Amino acid sequence: MWSRNITFSNGEVSLAGIPATQLAKEFGTPTFFLDEDAFRSRAISWRDGLVKEFGDKAGHVFYASKAFTCTAVAHWISEIGIGIDVSTGGELAVALAGGVDPSMIEVHGNNKSLSEIDRAVSIGVQTIVMDSLYEIDRVAEAARKHGKRQQVLIRLTPGIEAHTHESISTAHEDVKFGFSIASGAAWTAVEKIAQLPELELRGVHCHIGSQIFGTEAFEIAADRLLEFMARYRDAFGAELPELDLGGGYGIAYLENEKTVEPSDVLPTIGKAVRAACAKFSLSMPTVSIEPGRNIVGPTMFTLYEVGTVKDVVIEDGSIRKYISVDGGMSDNARTALYDAEYFACIAQRSSVSPSVKSRVVGKHCETGDIIIRDIQLPSDVVPGDLIATPATGAYGRSMASNYNHVPRPPVVAVIDGKARVIVRRETEADLLALDVAKM
Ligand code: LLP
């Protein structure tokens, strides 16, 4: 249900045939283990799914690298032949280090710095997604300086309440991203771009939110964006050729959940786009998408070692077992930030002990340092046990911090029974290296 090469059941967690005990022995804990084969096949199935649905109108799958990126991953992306979405100079640097061709890079961000814009334009990225009126001037200025005409999209806010956590829902009106269609801001942006010969407006973009199931929000978004494209056609006498519907496809975090697959959503999105084109008498634009979580999320798990276990009597008089592992909110901030839910199991042995009310917590100095708030785990969990949490690939390592000066965990990729470090573990020396003054 998470990744086909990873087995998660009480007592036998293994990745591509390598048991958790061996992985822990060789690489230590906590560590993110990545199923490279699953990553590649998920990226390929989005690539092929887009082509299957849209044929010669398939734009690009831009992997949203904020979910997780490193040089090796960027390299796989370029090998697979999909594009990459970067939203900072740092993500751009990693994409370039991994050998991604600038023509496959799309640049996002609601506050791109002047140097980020300058670099993106000068290396010839494919598209820059416009997010504010200031930015339109800044990108035009950079294009003028480099003697280029830059292709741009406008990020639209179509006014949709996606059913997901507020912090990761992005297309209702009261957000920092994009230009509102309803308020007229989006149209002001279009008119501004039209006056700048250095910019070529290729189309419109939206990203309605993250961890989304079902297709309704995408269908409404497609309809509103194409209505906007029709308005453009009516005003300017030419059609915009590109539509980018962003990412957001949900994944399974718990045992009873199901990860969205390309074939679950792309046919409905295709149908909605075609219906809207017919409704507004538009020709079919190319369609691009930006899945991040859906590609990498299911392909990683985190392996921790239990350090202490404590039975705590809680309000209703019952006992909750607090299981402290050697990581925490510094490698998984999602529970603290979004009340995210995860599954966990003992990774190196089976247990026949009854399950008890448990909470998996980290080693940080705050009560909110919780990885799993409520879970039933065997009553005999003891220090030294290994605990695996699946589906930590997206926004786990990428949002990791050094809180309490805890070095960030490594990422180990496993394929064909072979494991190799692709991001090494941080050391105390790495952390101290930043302290350049002794007093
Ligand atoms: N495109 C744009 C413009 C985005 O802003 C995002 C995510 C994506 C694509 C990819 O979305 P995905 O397919 O991964 O859902 N830290 C949060 C998620 C923040 C998402 C931000 N933007 C979390 O851990 O849930």
Side-chain angles (χ1 to χ4, degrees), residues 64 66 85 155 168 207 210 248 290 292-293 334 338 395 399:
K66 68 204 78 179
D85 142 12
R155 178 164 179 168
I168 56 174
H207 171 72
S210 221
E290 305 164 346
R293 182 194 316 270
R334 298 194 69 260
Y338 321 117
Y395 308 104
M399 288 172 64

Side-chain angles (χ1 to χ4, degrees), residues 10 61 71 77-78 91 125 134 203 209 296-297 331 346 349-350 353 355 371 376 388 402 436:
N10 196 5
V61 173
T71 309
I77 291 295
S78 68
E91 286 173 5
V125 298
Y134 287 104
V296 71
D331 58 72
I346 304 177
R349 66 179 173 94
S350 55
S353 299
S355 291
I371 298 171
Q376 292 285 323
N402 290 123
V436 289

Side-chain angles (χ1 to χ4, degrees), residues 62 64 66-67 85 106 108-109 155 167-168 170 177 205-207 209-212 246-250 253 290-294 334 337-338 342 394-396 398-399:
F62 291 103
K66 68 204 78 179
D85 142 12
E106 180 191 53
H108 271 292
R155 178 164 179 168
S167 302
I168 56 174
T170 47
F177 295 109
H205 167 280
C206 76
H207 171 72
S210 221
Q211 185 62 355
I212 292 176
Y249 310 100
Y253 283 99
E290 305 164 346
R293 182 194 316 270
N294 192 279
R334 298 194 69 260
L337 282 176
Y338 321 117
Y342 286 87
Y395 308 104
S398 76
M399 288 172 64

Side-chain angles (χ1 to χ4, degrees), residues 32-115:
F32 290 95
F33 290 98
L34 189 160
D35 178 353
E36 180 177 342
D37 173 53
F39 183 97
R40 287 175 180 271
S41 60
R42 297 199 67 73
I44 288 169
S45 65
W46 281 102
R47 179 195 73 189
D48 293 352
L50 196 73
V51 171
K52 182 167 178 228
E53 185 55 38
F54 296 102
D56 64 353
K57 291 296 177 183
H60 288 293
V61 173
F62 291 103
Y63 169 62
S65 65
K66 68 204 78 179
F68 173 67
T69 194
C70 65
T71 309
V73 160
H75 182 71
W76 304 343
I77 291 295
S78 68
E79 275 181 345
I80 291 162
I82 62 172
I84 199 161
D85 142 12
V86 301
S87 55
T88 61
E91 286 173 5
L92 177 61
V94 175
L96 296 174
V100 178
D101 193 281
S103 68
M104 297 297 273
I105 298 176
E106 180 191 53
V107 180
H108 271 292
N110 70 302
N111 185 14
K112 306 168 187 78
S113 70
L114 292 180
S115 66

Side-chain angles (χ1 to χ4, degrees), residues 88-156:
T88 61
E91 286 173 5
L92 177 61
V94 175
L96 296 174
V100 178
D101 193 281
S103 68
M104 297 297 273
I105 298 176
E106 180 191 53
V107 180
H108 271 292
N110 70 302
N111 185 14
K112 306 168 187 78
S113 70
L114 292 180
S115 66
E116 285 171 333
I117 291 171
D118 190 81
R119 187 178 190 196
V121 172
S122 74
I123 63 170
V125 298
Q126 186 193 92
T127 316
I128 302 182
V129 185
M130 297 290 114
D131 205 285
S132 72
L133 292 176
Y134 287 104
E135 187 173 280
I136 293 173
D137 285 325
R138 290 168 187 164
V139 174
E141 175 71 37
R144 210 170 301 135
K145 175 177 153 198
H146 293 288
K148 297 193 175 193
R149 186 152 195 248
Q150 179 62 51
Q151 298 195 350
V152 298
L153 299 179
I154 302 187
R155 178 164 179 168
L156 299 180

